[in-house]
């Protein structure tokens, strides 16, 4: 049976879906030495998922610097606390690496914000927003994409929490790791569908007033 995908996913259905949570190991990186070990491990992996978190600013015109860089393999996610360690040589080496594909979403914004922590040459990054367009999916959010491709819900409850607090809460760690890890799953599923053609895309139209979708 072919997988059914929608060009636009109805966000009102997301709350009814089962929640997906990263079940691997989460390692918080709070020193340059730990960053070196983490990057050595990550660059030995075949593929990585990446994302960032920034403490929200409620003051008009003020944007905080990136506080967290999360980078995940299939089994382990490292949370680099950039607000504590800054742009270390190891983090720069990771971002400049051209051998391991690093999968993310809206990477232009993330990389631009990371560059404010320290200059680096962009390495091997693949943006899911570019990839999904190739098969006709128009949604750009990670939550909608994962719901569309896997029928599971990524919780965004902790997105606006304080990412610069002294010690991250467990729910923050899980949130951050899940976002990075699910990027890998989405990319690998996209590759599978592209290679097999084992999907059917249903074109839907958005109702501007309600932001719900109807099949065209």
């Amino acid at each position: 049976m072919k997988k059914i995908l929608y060009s636009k996913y109805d966000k009102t259905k997301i709350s009814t879906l089962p929640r997906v949570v990263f079940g691997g190991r989460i390692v918080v990186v709070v020193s340059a030495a730990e960053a070196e070990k983490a990057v050595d491990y990550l660059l030995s992996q075949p593929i990585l998922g990446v994302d960032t978190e920034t403490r929200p600013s409620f003051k008009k015109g003020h944007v905080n610097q990136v506080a967290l860089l999360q980078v995940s393999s299939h089994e382990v996610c490292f949370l680099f606390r950039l607000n504590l360690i800054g742009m270390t040589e190891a983090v720069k080496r990771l971002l400049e690496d051209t051998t391991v594909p690093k999968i993310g979403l809206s990477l232009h914004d993330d990389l631009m914000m990371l560059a404010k922590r320290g200059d680096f040459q962009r390495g091997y990054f693949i943006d899911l927003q570019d990839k999904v367009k190739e098969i006709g999916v128009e949604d750009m959010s990670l939550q909608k994409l994962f719901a569309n491709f896997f029928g599971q819900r990524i919780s965004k409850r902790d997105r606006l929490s304080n990412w610069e607090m002294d010690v991250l809460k467990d729910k923050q760690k899980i949130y951050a790791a899940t976002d990075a890890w699910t990027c890998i799953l989405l990319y690998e599923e996209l590759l599978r569908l592209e290679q097999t053609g084992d999907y059917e895309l249903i074109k839907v139209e958005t109702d501007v007033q309600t932001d719900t979708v109807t099949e065209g």
Side-chain angles (χ1 to χ4, degrees):
M1 178 181 289
K2 289 189 174 184
K3 173 171 284 193
I4 301 298
L5 297 176
Y6 299 90
S7 60
K8 297 178 182 177
Y9 193 84
D10 186 351
K11 73 175 185 180
T12 63
K13 296 179 179 179
I14 293 177
S15 63
T16 67
L17 300 176
R19 183 183 176 189
V20 60
V21 173
F22 178 64
R25 183 180 171 215
I26 301 175
V27 181
V28 181
V29 178
V30 293
S31 73
E34 291 173 354
E36 285 286 350
K37 293 178 181 178
V39 170
D40 286 344
Y41 166 83
L42 289 167
L43 293 184
S44 73
Q45 301 302 300
I47 189 170
L48 300 172
V50 300
D51 195 19
T52 65
E53 304 298 339
T54 301
R55 180 181 181 178
S57 172
F58 302 104
K59 185 183 297 184
K60 187 176 181 180
H62 177 75
V63 178
N64 292 312
Q65 285 195 311
V66 174
L68 192 74
L69 167 65
Q70 57 262 45
V71 187
S72 184
S73 68
H74 278 286
E75 296 84 19
V76 185
C77 184
F78 292 90
L79 308 182
F80 297 86
R81 300 210 61 191
L82 300 185
N83 60 304
L84 300 179
I85 66 174
M87 180 67 73
T88 70
E89 285 301 314
V91 173
K92 183 178 178 181
R93 175 162 61 96
L94 175 66
L95 296 173
E96 293 188 338
D97 169 75
T98 58
T99 62
V100 181
K102 300 161 198 67
I103 318 303
L105 192 85
S106 190
L107 282 171
H108 174 77
D109 295 336
D110 282 345
L111 293 172
M112 181 177 66
M113 292 296 292
L114 284 167
K116 293 182 179 180
R117 284 276 181 195
D119 291 335
F120 62 90
Q121 295 295 317
R122 174 175 172 163
Y124 187 4
F125 288 89
I126 298 172
D127 197 321
L128 287 169
Q129 290 183 341
D130 296 329
K131 293 297 294 183
V132 296
K133 290 176 185 176
E134 296 174 6
I135 64 170
V137 174
E138 299 175 35
D139 287 324
M140 293 289 103
S141 78
L142 185 63
Q143 188 182 50
K144 282 188 177 181
L145 290 176
F146 206 83
N148 196 358
F149 281 79
F150 291 101
Q152 293 178 294
R153 170 177 56 89
I154 297 175
S155 172
K156 307 306 288 184
R157 182 172 297 174
D158 293 292
R159 182 173 66 91
L160 295 179
S161 59
N162 180 7
W163 295 101
E164 295 182 7
M165 62 195 313
D166 291 341
V167 178
L168 293 177
K169 297 178 181 178
D170 287 344
K171 62 181 183 178
Q172 288 179 298
K173 297 175 189 177
I174 292 170
Y175 169 89
T178 299
D179 271 12
W181 170 67
T182 50
C183 287
I184 298 177
L185 303 188
L186 273 167
Y187 180 69
E188 291 180 336
E189 181 66 358
L190 273 164
L191 291 184
R192 185 187 75 81
L193 295 176
E194 285 180 344
Q195 291 167 1
T196 63
D198 188 28
Y199 69 95
E200 178 184 348
L201 182 73
I202 296 178
K203 183 73 175 177
V204 296
E205 301 297 331
T206 303
D207 184 330
V208 177
Q209 297 299 318
T210 64
D211 198 26
T212 57
V213 296
T214 54
E215 295 184 18

